Amino acid sequence: MLPLHWFLISPCPLCGQDPEVPKPAPGHACRACCERLELPEEGLMGVDPLPWWGAGRYGGGLRHLLLDLRRRPRIEAVAALARGTRRALATSDPQQLRTGCERALLVPIPSWKRRANPLPPLFCSALERGGDLRRLDLLERSRPVLGQHHLGRNLRIANQAGAFRCLRPPGPGEARRRPVLIVDDILTTGATATSAARCLAAAGWRVEGVLCLARTGAREAERAVP
């Protein structure tokens, strides 16, 4: 017997087209988009410069899609991409993780610009669906930073050093019960995420890693989740 959703009309949340049979489950990207955007079925993960989980590699079609979503945010499109990140997190080698990531607090990277990047908070909203992950805004910018598009690794690290302030320390037992996952749309050198992680750790929070929609940078730092 064929799955019921094969017979349902469910436009792809990424391209808006009605996919050919076999149809994906509602809310899932169609096969054509997964191939065009090079989205691994089980997402991606890596450990440099800190543990991270993502939906795909930043480039080509995925790059263009994320740039478009920054201009015209669409929660269903972000939610479709977020499924890959959640699968990567769920299928991680448990020996590479401390316990509790399935109950983690999602801390989005705040923007210092007046027109903030909408994707980190939208990504949090998508990750919160159907699970025990919960958003908690713990960070604010302590100073403006330079745009990093043309900065190398060392300049990015210097640019982000001391750029965050933690809004509060954890309550009694809170850091043990609810570890922190930093949330950003794109992970490049990790300078921003590392600066945020250091700020949170100094305040007493237990940071497990970073969730992203796309990862760019050294390919040796990443692998497809088996």
Side-chain angles (χ1 to χ4, degrees):
M1 182 178 295
L2 294 175
L4 178 61
H5 69 259
W6 281 22
F7 303 97
L8 299 177
I9 303 268
S10 180
C12 172
L14 299 184
C15 66
Q17 302 298 311
D18 292 336
E20 298 178 356
V21 174
K23 296 182 183 296
H28 289 244
C30 68
R31 181 170 55 188
C33 279
C34 290
E35 293 175 354
R36 176 175 58 86
L37 303 177
E38 299 184 49
L39 299 175
E41 184 176 351
E42 299 300 330
L44 293 173
M45 65 168 289
V47 295
D48 181 42
L50 65 168
W52 61 268
W53 301 266
R57 295 184 178 91
Y58 185 69
L62 184 55
R63 174 181 177 273
H64 290 297
L65 175 62
L66 291 178
L67 292 176
D68 181 65
L69 288 173
R70 282 187 176 185
R71 295 189 296 267
R72 298 180 297 171
R74 293 182 286 124
I75 180 59
E76 295 306 325
V78 174
L81 294 174
R83 293 180 185 276
T85 306
R86 285 198 69 114
R87 284 194 294 268
L89 181 64
T91 58
S92 297
D93 183 347
Q95 294 190 3
Q96 293 185 8
L97 291 170
R98 302 176 189 177
T99 58
C101 274
E102 69 282 358
R103 301 181 61 253
L105 297 170
L106 303 172
V107 178
I109 292 289
S111 177
W112 59 271
K113 297 180 181 179
R114 179 172 299 179
R115 185 175 181 181
N117 179 1
L119 293 187
L122 207 62
F123 188 20
C124 284
S125 297
L127 290 166
E128 286 180 302
R129 294 181 174 184
D132 198 26
L133 301 175
R134 180 169 66 86
R135 174 180 171 178
L136 185 62
D137 294 325
L138 289 174
L139 292 171
E140 66 178 6
R141 290 282 182 170
S142 59
R143 61 174 178 82
V145 295
L146 298 173
Q148 301 198 133
H149 299 85
H150 303 295
L151 299 183
R153 182 182 181 89
N154 291 337
L155 287 177
R156 286 178 181 239
I157 292 172
N159 188 41
Q160 294 292 339
F164 296 99
R165 182 184 299 111
C166 184
L167 296 176
R168 70 169 179 87
E174 189 176 14
R176 177 181 55 81
R177 295 192 310 269
R178 303 295 294 251
V180 164
L181 290 170
I182 295 168
V183 177
D184 205 357
D185 57 338
I186 302 165
L187 180 66
T188 305
T189 63
T192 302
T194 299
S195 178
R198 286 173 178 165
C199 175
L200 291 166
W205 293 97
R206 178 162 61 95
V207 181
E208 293 292 353
V210 184
L211 303 182
C212 61
L213 291 170
R215 173 67 158 110
T216 185
R219 283 182 173 253
E220 59 269 19
E222 63 186 41
R223 66 176 177 84
V225 178

